Amino acid sequence: MARIDSYAIGRLAAGYFLDRRYTSFAYVAETSNLSWSHERRRGFSETLARAGFGCTVYDGFSAAERRNWLAERPRMTAWLRALPKPSAVFAAMDGRARLVLDACAEAGINVPNEIAVLGV
């Protein structure tokens, strides 16, 4: 059975955005606090740090947010509005990336000009 290298996935995501000359970066974690999400964040943020950049992390979910997207959406929307524009956002998985896109649409944030989103 093959093992997924989540750290390498994070490194590749950072490289993708760095190659496109972004200078503001963020990571959207998976809501259940799973180890692979931590590894993707670590690979992403450590690669960015080696290139001289920081990374804002969206995590720390309440019990209600873990159960229901409607409970989480207002916080994510406000967080996205507060990010510098343009920003490159790496989401822990495709489902989270889709929620980022939904929150951007609700906030009137232009994708990809203001927020670029990459999922896995």
Side-chain angles (χ1 to χ4, degrees):
M1 178 187 291
R3 183 180 174 278
I4 295 172
D5 188 344
S6 290
Y7 186 86
I9 290 169
R11 281 194 344 258
L12 289 169
Y16 176 84
F17 284 136
L18 288 167
D19 287 348
R20 283 148 186 82
R21 302 189 190 279
Y22 282 93
T23 58
S24 178
F25 304 91
Y27 178 77
V28 175
E30 191 277 330
T31 60
S32 297
N33 202 26
L34 298 173
S35 62
W36 57 262
S37 180
H38 290 287
E39 284 300 301
R40 289 177 185 182
R41 178 181 66 202
R42 196 168 66 83
F44 187 65
S45 61
E46 287 179 3
T47 302
L48 294 172
R50 282 192 292 279
F53 297 101
C55 178
T56 302
V57 176
Y58 178 83
D59 61 1
F61 305 97
S62 70
E65 289 174 335
R66 283 192 298 274
R67 286 190 310 272
N68 184 345
W69 162 239
L70 294 177
E72 179 190 358
R73 187 171 54 190
R75 182 169 71 97
M76 182 184 282
T77 301
W79 179 79
L80 290 164
R81 280 186 179 126
L83 289 176
K85 309 300 184 284
S87 281
V89 176
F90 174 44
M93 60 189 219
D94 286 338
R96 296 297 287 158
R98 179 66 221 179
L99 296 177
V100 170
L101 293 171
D102 289 347
C104 284
E106 181 175 313
I109 296 169
N110 183 285
V111 175
N113 296 326
E114 293 180 287
I115 300 283
V117 181
L118 178 63
V120 178

